[in-house]
Amino acid sequence: MVATITTPRLMAVGGGALAELPGILQRLGLARPLIVTDPYIRGCGIFDRATALLDQAQIRWQVFSDTVPDPTTAVVETGTSVLAEGGFDSLVAIGGGSSIDTAKAMSVLAANGGQMRDYKVPAEIPKAGPPLVAVPTTAGTGSEVTRFTVITDTATDEKMLIAGLACCPIAAIVDYELTLTMPLRLTADTGLDSLTHAIEAYVSRRASPYTDGLAKNAMGLIARHIRAACAEPENRSAREAMMLGATTAGMAFSNASVALVHGMSRPIGAFFHVPHGLSNAMLLPEITAFSVPAALDRYADCARAMGVAEEGEGNQGAVARLLDELRRLNRDLTVPSPREWGIDPRRYEALLPTMASQALASGSPANNPRVPTSDEIIELYRRVYG
Ligand SMILES: [Fe+2]
């Protein structure tokens, strides 16, 4: 089997890496960036530090700071008009996955025209647009290194997956110091998202020996440090481990794909506005229990990589420990069930067929070790409701 691997051309990784921003743009021959961010990052000091660096290097920039959580086609279209008008040669996204995903989508629309839904998987993206330098401020989505963007269709509430080389940033600046001020809930939710990426990349039917190493490395880092990063926000070694874990998990799933958890998570996020990492975490233990019989050895490896099973322990025992740990993590990090989150049971039940069909259409469930039918997905949604 030949694995095709996509990664950014250039990465700066480590505490203080933000200072590399002007040098990275210059090395790539980029002189006129549009910065894409959200109102919080614009006001919290990180944006000012980044733009001071650009000013010192006499790089002329402008900013679009209207990105929103769960980015929508409406916001992407506004951003694309700003991009088209200013004579920009590049994008710099500073923020969480939402800002990075918005910038990716703006680049795709600027180069190809049409509507975002024209590029929903399995559609191809004909042309690459202005290159993107991604600067994540959360340890979570891994979007800084992936060939995916997820955009919610304003007209239908569908969270659309858009994939291709055109969505992969040209460069990433991975600076854990930017995450030191992340609040607890965001640390937990984004950390659980990256743990899900690592596990799903490892058990995916599209996993390869190349992605396996990245995924196991990420699982080890995240599982060993997520509680400390949540409990002690200023714990630099925990923050550094979480950031490395998030980025390596991103490199793993960008090239091995995610699976059933993400497929089922996107409709929960789209219809009930549950943050992405949280809706993954609501699903992760039960989907893992459902999938284990089809890939016992792979899930046992996950338990060993996370440090919850001994190297010599048998697969059955290791998998039992994995399921215990996933449930315990959700308790420790106070992950609610959909019921506890306040999702109306009647609306949930009524939407299940639509959610199941959107989950299947995203293609992600087909990568799962155990590929579910639509009825099985509906049953799993009922089981996790709580
Ligand atoms: Fe994710």
Side-chain angles (χ1 to χ4, degrees), residues 159-185:
K159 269 198 171 189
M160 301 180 292
L161 178 65
I162 292 125
L165 197 53
C167 290
C168 186
I170 193 168
I173 293 178
V174 182
D175 182 347
Y176 74 86
E177 291 180 357
L178 304 182
T179 69
L180 289 169
T181 51
M182 262 204 295
L184 189 150
R185 194 66 258 158

Side-chain angles (χ1 to χ4, degrees), residues 140-142 193-194 196-197 200 253 258 262 265-266 276-277 280:
T141 65
D193 184 30
S194 23
T196 310
H197 293 153
E200 294 215 282
F253 92 83
V258 282
H262 270 75
S265 171
R266 290 183 208 104
H276 172 67
N280 283 338

Side-chain angles (χ1 to χ4, degrees), residues 89-110:
D89 64 2
S90 52
L91 293 150
V92 173
I94 307 176
S98 299
S99 290
I100 300 174
D101 278 9
T102 302
K104 290 177 175 187
M106 287 163 56
S107 176
V108 168
L109 274 196

Side-chain angles (χ1 to χ4, degrees), residues 22 47 50 69-70 72 77 85 91 133 144 237 250 306 338 355 358 367 371:
F47 174 81
D70 297 329
T72 59
E77 282 158 18
E85 284 156 16
L91 293 150
V133 176
E144 67 277 8
S237 60
M306 288 167 62
M355 287 161 60
Q358 288 186 358
N367 305 323
V371 180

